[in-house]
Amino acid sequence: MAPKSAAAKARSPAPRWQRRADARPEEILEAALAEFDERGFEAARMEDIAKAAGISKAAIYLYFPSKMALLEALIEAKVAPLAAQAQKLAAAGQADPLNALKLFATVAAARMADPKVIAVPRLVIGISGRFPEIAEYYRTHVVAKARGALEKLIETGIANGAMRKVDTAAVVRAFIGPLFFEAMWTHVLKGETALADPQKLIEQQFDVLLHGLEPRA
Amino acid sequence: MAPKSAAAKARSPAPRWQRRADARPEEILEAALAEFDERGFEAARMEDIAKAAGISKAAIYLYFPSKMALLEALIEAKVAPLAAQAQKLAAAGQADPLNALKLFATVAAARMADPKVIAVPRLVIGISGRFPEIAEYYRTHVVAKARGALEKLIETGIANGAMRKVDTAAVVRAFIGPLFFEAMWTHVLKGETALADPQKLIEQQFDVLLHGLEPRA
Amino acid sequence: MAPKSAAAKARSPAPRWQRRADARPEEILEAALAEFDERGFEAARMEDIAKAAGISKAAIYLYFPSKMALLEALIEAKVAPLAAQAQKLAAAGQADPLNALKLFATVAAARMADPKVIAVPRLVIGISGRFPEIAEYYRTHVVAKARGALEKLIETGIANGAMRKVDTAAVVRAFIGPLFFEAMWTHVLKGETALADPQKLIEQQFDVLLHGLEPRA
Amino acid sequence: MAPKSAAAKARSPAPRWQRRADARPEEILEAALAEFDERGFEAARMEDIAKAAGISKAAIYLYFPSKMALLEALIEAKVAPLAAQAQKLAAAGQADPLNALKLFATVAAARMADPKVIAVPRLVIGISGRFPEIAEYYRTHVVAKARGALEKLIETGIANGAMRKVDTAAVVRAFIGPLFFEAMWTHVLKGETALADPQKLIEQQFDVLLHGLEPRA
DNA sequence: TATGAATGAGTCTTCATTCAT
DNA sequence: AATGAATGAAGACTCATTCAT
């Protein structure tokens, strides 16, 4: 998408079609994700991916050596930004962890309304049996990092006195679990969703999370 | 059709294959689930399912007309008991909803330690893009019913005064979400699991769920 | 169909089911012909033949060693009476060949209204590429004999002075061809048929055959 | 799509496969007809058709979506010219119908000496039970048209006074039947054929057809 | 004799991948 | 860089035939 830097341009005088060519890999990956998401990895056909990307089947092989490579590149491409986000969250939220969590949750919920966003985790679930390395990659690079960032936040919150002394892992599950569950319910099972109003969803979820179920004294 | 008389049984020890024939469909479904779980629906080979079931490829077709039918029968077979359980839960827990929930959660967590138990939901997630009817079937017959049963329980609890007046859907998510998330983390991503000690897991999860994150007054 | 002769009965005391069993081969052949005719030899399934004959698939093999054997037995069974008829025709018609021909044609046309009657020739045509021996068998045992019988009749007629001096083979073709053609048109192509009124059909056909196309002087 | 310019052609001698690609569908159909004719539709193997066409099994599917489609395309391709011929015959023969018929018959007989020519009708007969639509297609597009053209010719001949007042359908049968019968005898039953000398065959056939069997007054 | 169960061998069809241009 | 053509390998499904009872 982003045009080459000026420096790069200077080095290699870009022919007319170069710009488009540079975008090709990303276009292909996008098309691949769409097909994988709709049909599953095995049932997706290279032909269809090519068509969706607006090129010929054979052209895909100019950029990726195999269908498997497509999958791997896809995961990798989609994973990088998530990891970065987790870092940011952990760093930024240290001051007011509770508020950071809520803010983050609202943003996350809003993004999850977009079917494309859970496409990758859903895909990972689908292929994890066949390609455990990919599942592991996803675990270590995305989920574990996110859990870690959240745990750090919780710990800070507890140290702060902003939160009760609770099991951090449990809180992380209580934080991620409902969102993950609702996303699956919405996009996989096509159930009527609460994600349509993320603000409200998080409000209600945090009401439970913060104050608990017990009747107040 | 009619079972042999006791006398006949005594004389001729029921033919080896006759005994097995009755069990065949279930054996096949079990084998199919295992293969589907390991390879995914598309990548699973009928030959392997047959081998796993101890019969020939062609023999599968004596019991199921197609691979797809195998999938459907599988889902159906695994779904029935779950729906029943949901009913039972809703009925049995009316007296002491909070306790019922906790009890149920502990049992559920314990069962989720078994990889076979999430095999079906995981499979459904994997094929939902390609076979939306199956996803819908699963939603209405399992997840919606479970949600319904839990919601009823929560409502009773609130009416009881055993719980604070909270959004029931949010509580259901807060209840199911963490378990579902942990199960996926464990069996799909092969992360180190908290499911190994279900008692403790639920203890911690309920500590958060009941009392909330906020420091007590 | 025919019960065993008294002598045979005396030799082997027929159990209750024997009579039915004796009829089995014919029943099977009849069923086989029906299936072969409807689906073609290759596409016909032993299972369907069995069902049509009211027995189990395996039971067929008690009477015929293979599908191919079924075909051969079938042809043979259907061919025998035809050859006999040809003999009879040749013998019986010597006195008044022209009339014999016409009589024979009328009977033949009437029988050809029954789809079963062309089932065998049609089948032979269908498989002749794959089983030339069967085609040859049919040629020598049926068609050649019929042609021979007719030729003899024509020759007699010519010698008689009942007919003009014509090429006998040509007359035979002129005699059989139209009937054969109409039968195929009717039963294979499902065209509207003139076979419904055999009398009239032959009347018209013989009008042409006898008097020719040329305007009378 | 656009053919190369003359200049381009001069420079690069049209790629070997491009030239062939255009001919492929016809080559395949030819191979298919040969196999269908020899083995029958069901028994013919796509692999063999491919081999006969000099390509791989999969390549057939680049041009035809299924074995059935191959059959349909085949029939269609072979039928078109025949229908055209019938039109021509009807039109051209109006002046001297009798002579036109004789001429046409001689040509037809000559062509029928080629086994390939009856391959299609023979195939249609073989599969008509299983695929009645094809039989119907053949009836309406070939046989009915031919019958129609011939009938028109006869009618003209009668009106002309060139022929006696006879039943036209009967004459058509008397015209087509013997040829059809001889072709089947020759190519299906492998009998010794009169088709080797078409001139003579038609001479003899027309002697009967024109003057009839009756001794002249 | 009769059959339900089982299977080996085979066929159509698909598709990721390669090749010639 | 790009693609139309081609294919090898694989998999679902079928069916004539056999077997155990």
Side-chain angles (χ1 to χ4, degrees):
Chain A
M1 284 282 146
K4 288 189 154 198
S5 73
K9 266 183 189 163
R11 254 181 277 117
S12 61
R16 226 169 314 114
W17 41 261
Q18 186 93 44
R19 241 198 45 164
R20 189 149 184 247
D22 276 1
R24 278 287 151 78
E26 281 161 51
E27 288 171 12
I28 294 171
L29 288 182
E30 221 53 49
L33 178 54
E35 293 295 321
F36 289 168
D37 190 41
E38 191 167 342
R39 316 278 233 235
F41 175 73
E42 298 289 338
R45 293 163 64 253
M46 291 296 267
E47 177 99 43
D48 291 339
I49 295 174
K51 205 169 295 175
I55 58 177
S56 79
K57 202 175 16 165
I60 295 182
Y61 290 87
L62 298 174
Y63 301 96
F64 301 93
S66 72
K67 193 183 185 185
M68 187 65 203
L70 218 49
L71 175 62
E72 282 162 352
L74 181 57
I75 302 286
E76 226 164 314
K78 294 292 177 181
V79 151
L82 293 182
Q85 279 219 327
Q87 303 293 339
K88 222 185 298 179
L89 169 68
Q94 293 303 80
D96 184 349
L98 255 179
N99 215 44
L101 274 178
K102 196 164 178 183
L103 205 69
F104 177 72
T106 311
V107 172
R111 300 203 54 227
M112 279 179 182
D114 179 1
K116 283 190 172 185
V117 172
I118 22 74
V120 171
R122 186 230 276 245
L123 182 57
V124 170
I125 291 173
I127 62 176
S128 59
R130 227 162 126 59
F131 307 115
E133 336 80 55
I134 290 190
E136 188 187 330
Y137 180 86
Y138 198 76
R139 174 170 56 80
T140 54
H141 287 68
V142 177
V143 188
K145 277 190 182 158
R147 287 185 93 146
L150 288 170
E151 290 200 349
K152 193 159 292 176
L153 222 52
I154 312 289
E155 279 159 13
T156 305
I158 293 174
N160 263 358
M163 302 179 196
R164 203 157 54 84
K165 199 159 179 285
V166 286
D167 181 72
T168 53
V171 179
V172 168
R173 280 193 293 268
F175 178 85
I176 296 181
L179 277 178
F180 178 59
F181 176 68
E182 187 66 22
M184 286 292 160
W185 167 264
T186 300
H187 296 300
V188 174
L189 302 185
K190 311 280 182 204
E192 286 190 14
T193 188
L195 285 173
D197 186 346
Q199 188 89 41
K200 187 176 156 203
L201 170 65
I202 296 305
E203 206 66 59
Q204 294 175 334
Q205 217 63 48
F206 264 68
D207 176 47
V208 176
L209 180 61
L210 291 180
H211 312 307
L213 269 182
E214 276 190 333
R216 301 187 187 185
Chain B
M1 285 281 145
K4 292 185 152 201
S5 71
K9 264 185 192 160
R11 252 181 282 117
S12 63
R16 226 166 316 119
W17 57 259
Q18 183 123 28
R19 247 182 341 207
R20 303 207 67 204
D22 292 353
R24 276 288 148 80
E26 280 155 61
E27 288 173 12
I28 293 170
L29 288 182
E30 223 51 52
L33 178 54
E35 291 296 320
F36 289 167
D37 191 41
E38 190 169 344
R39 317 279 232 237
F41 174 72
E42 300 288 339
R45 292 165 62 252
M46 291 298 267
E47 177 105 42
D48 290 339
I49 295 174
K51 208 168 292 175
I55 56 178
S56 77
K57 198 183 1 172
I60 296 183
Y61 290 89
L62 295 176
Y63 300 95
F64 301 94
S66 70
K67 195 182 181 185
M68 185 67 202
L70 215 49
L71 175 62
E72 282 163 355
L74 184 56
I75 302 285
E76 221 162 321
K78 294 294 176 179
V79 151
L82 294 183
Q85 279 220 327
Q87 304 293 341
K88 223 185 299 179
L89 168 68
Q94 294 303 78
D96 183 351
L98 257 178
N99 213 44
L101 276 177
K102 197 162 177 183
L103 207 69
F104 177 71
T106 311
V107 172
R111 299 201 55 227
M112 280 180 183
D114 179 0
K116 283 189 171 186
V117 172
I118 19 71
V120 171
R122 185 231 276 247
L123 182 57
V124 170
I125 291 173
I127 63 177
S128 59
R130 229 163 125 58
F131 307 115
E133 335 82 51
I134 290 191
E136 188 186 328
Y137 181 85
Y138 199 76
R139 173 169 57 81
T140 55
H141 286 69
V142 177
V143 188
K145 276 188 183 159
R147 286 185 93 147
L150 289 171
E151 289 200 351
K152 194 159 290 177
L153 224 52
I154 312 288
E155 279 160 14
T156 306
I158 292 174
N160 263 0
M163 302 180 196
R164 201 159 55 83
K165 198 161 178 284
V166 286
D167 182 72
T168 52
V171 178
V172 168
R173 280 193 293 270
F175 179 85
I176 297 181
L179 277 178
F180 178 58
F181 177 68
E182 187 66 22
M184 286 292 160
W185 167 264
T186 299
H187 297 299
V188 174
L189 301 184
K190 311 282 181 200
E192 286 189 13
T193 187
L195 286 172
D197 186 346
Q199 188 90 40
K200 187 175 156 206
L201 170 65
I202 294 306
E203 206 66 62
Q204 294 176 333
Q205 217 63 46
F206 264 69
D207 177 47
V208 175
L209 180 61
L210 290 180
H211 312 307
L213 270 181
E214 278 190 334
R216 305 192 184 178
Chain C
M1 280 282 147
K4 286 187 155 200
S5 72
K9 265 184 189 160
R11 256 181 275 118
S12 62
R16 227 167 312 114
W17 40 261
Q18 187 92 41
R19 239 197 46 162
R20 184 146 188 250
D22 275 1
R24 277 287 149 80
E26 280 161 52
E27 287 172 12
I28 294 171
L29 288 182
E30 221 52 50
L33 177 54
E35 293 296 320
F36 289 168
D37 189 41
E38 190 166 345
R39 316 277 232 238
F41 175 72
E42 299 288 338
R45 294 163 64 252
M46 291 297 265
E47 177 99 45
D48 291 339
I49 296 174
K51 205 168 296 174
I55 57 176
S56 78
K57 201 176 14 168
I60 295 182
Y61 289 87
L62 297 174
Y63 300 95
F64 300 93
S66 72
K67 194 183 183 183
M68 185 65 204
L70 218 47
L71 174 63
E72 282 161 352
L74 181 57
I75 302 286
E76 225 162 316
K78 294 292 176 179
V79 151
L82 293 183
Q85 279 219 328
Q87 303 294 339
K88 222 184 300 179
L89 168 67
Q94 293 304 76
D96 183 351
L98 255 179
N99 214 44
L101 275 178
K102 195 163 178 184
L103 207 68
F104 177 71
T106 311
V107 172
R111 299 202 54 227
M112 279 180 184
D114 178 0
K116 284 190 172 184
V117 171
I118 22 75
V120 171
R122 184 228 277 247
L123 181 58
V124 170
I125 292 174
I127 63 177
S128 59
R130 225 163 128 59
F131 308 115
E133 335 81 55
I134 290 190
E136 188 186 330
Y137 181 86
Y138 199 76
R139 174 170 56 82
T140 55
H141 286 70
V142 178
V143 187
K145 278 189 182 158
R147 285 186 93 147
L150 288 170
E151 290 199 350
K152 192 159 295 177
L153 223 51
I154 311 290
E155 280 160 12
T156 306
I158 292 173
N160 263 358
M163 301 181 198
R164 201 158 53 84
K165 199 164 179 283
V166 286
D167 182 73
T168 51
V171 178
V172 169
R173 279 194 294 270
F175 179 84
I176 297 182
L179 277 179
F180 178 57
F181 176 68
E182 188 67 21
M184 286 292 159
W185 166 266
T186 299
H187 297 300
V188 174
L189 302 184
K190 311 281 181 202
E192 285 190 15
T193 188
L195 286 171
D197 186 346
Q199 187 89 43
K200 186 176 158 205
L201 171 65
I202 295 306
E203 207 66 62
Q204 295 175 332
Q205 217 62 48
F206 264 68
D207 177 46
V208 175
L209 180 60
L210 290 181
H211 312 308
L213 269 182
E214 275 189 334
R216 304 189 185 182
Chain D
M1 285 281 145
K4 291 185 153 203
S5 71
K9 264 182 189 161
R11 252 181 283 116
S12 64
R16 223 166 317 120
W17 57 259
Q18 185 125 25
R19 247 182 338 205
R20 304 206 64 203
D22 292 352
R24 277 289 146 79
E26 279 155 60
E27 289 172 11
I28 294 170
L29 287 182
E30 224 51 52
L33 178 53
E35 292 295 321
F36 289 168
D37 191 41
E38 190 167 344
R39 319 277 232 235
F41 175 73
E42 300 288 340
R45 291 165 62 252
M46 290 298 266
E47 177 104 41
D48 291 339
I49 295 174
K51 209 167 293 175
I55 56 178
S56 78
K57 199 182 1 170
I60 296 182
Y61 290 87
L62 295 177
Y63 301 94
F64 301 93
S66 70
K67 195 182 182 183
M68 185 66 202
L70 216 49
L71 174 62
E72 282 163 354
L74 184 55
I75 302 285
E76 222 162 318
K78 294 294 177 181
V79 151
L82 294 183
Q85 280 220 327
Q87 304 292 338
K88 222 184 302 179
L89 168 67
Q94 295 303 78
D96 184 350
L98 256 177
N99 214 43
L101 276 177
K102 197 165 178 182
L103 207 69
F104 177 71
T106 312
V107 173
R111 301 202 54 226
M112 280 180 182
D114 178 1
K116 282 189 173 186
V117 172
I118 18 71
V120 170
R122 183 230 279 245
L123 181 57
V124 170
I125 292 173
I127 64 178
S128 60
R130 229 164 124 57
F131 308 115
E133 337 80 52
I134 290 190
E136 189 187 329
Y137 181 86
Y138 200 76
R139 173 169 55 81
T140 57
H141 285 69
V142 177
V143 188
K145 276 189 183 159
R147 286 185 93 146
L150 288 172
E151 290 200 350
K152 193 159 293 176
L153 223 51
I154 313 289
E155 279 160 14
T156 305
I158 293 173
N160 264 359
M163 302 181 196
R164 204 161 49 88
K165 199 160 179 284
V166 286
D167 182 71
T168 51
V171 179
V172 169
R173 281 193 291 270
F175 180 85
I176 297 182
L179 277 179
F180 178 59
F181 176 68
E182 187 67 21
M184 287 291 160
W185 168 265
T186 300
H187 297 299
V188 174
L189 302 184
K190 311 281 180 205
E192 284 190 15
T193 187
L195 286 172
D197 187 345
Q199 188 89 41
K200 188 177 157 204
L201 171 64
I202 295 305
E203 207 65 63
Q204 296 175 334
Q205 216 64 46
F206 263 68
D207 176 47
V208 175
L209 180 59
L210 289 181
H211 311 307
L213 270 181
E214 276 188 336
R216 302 188 188 184

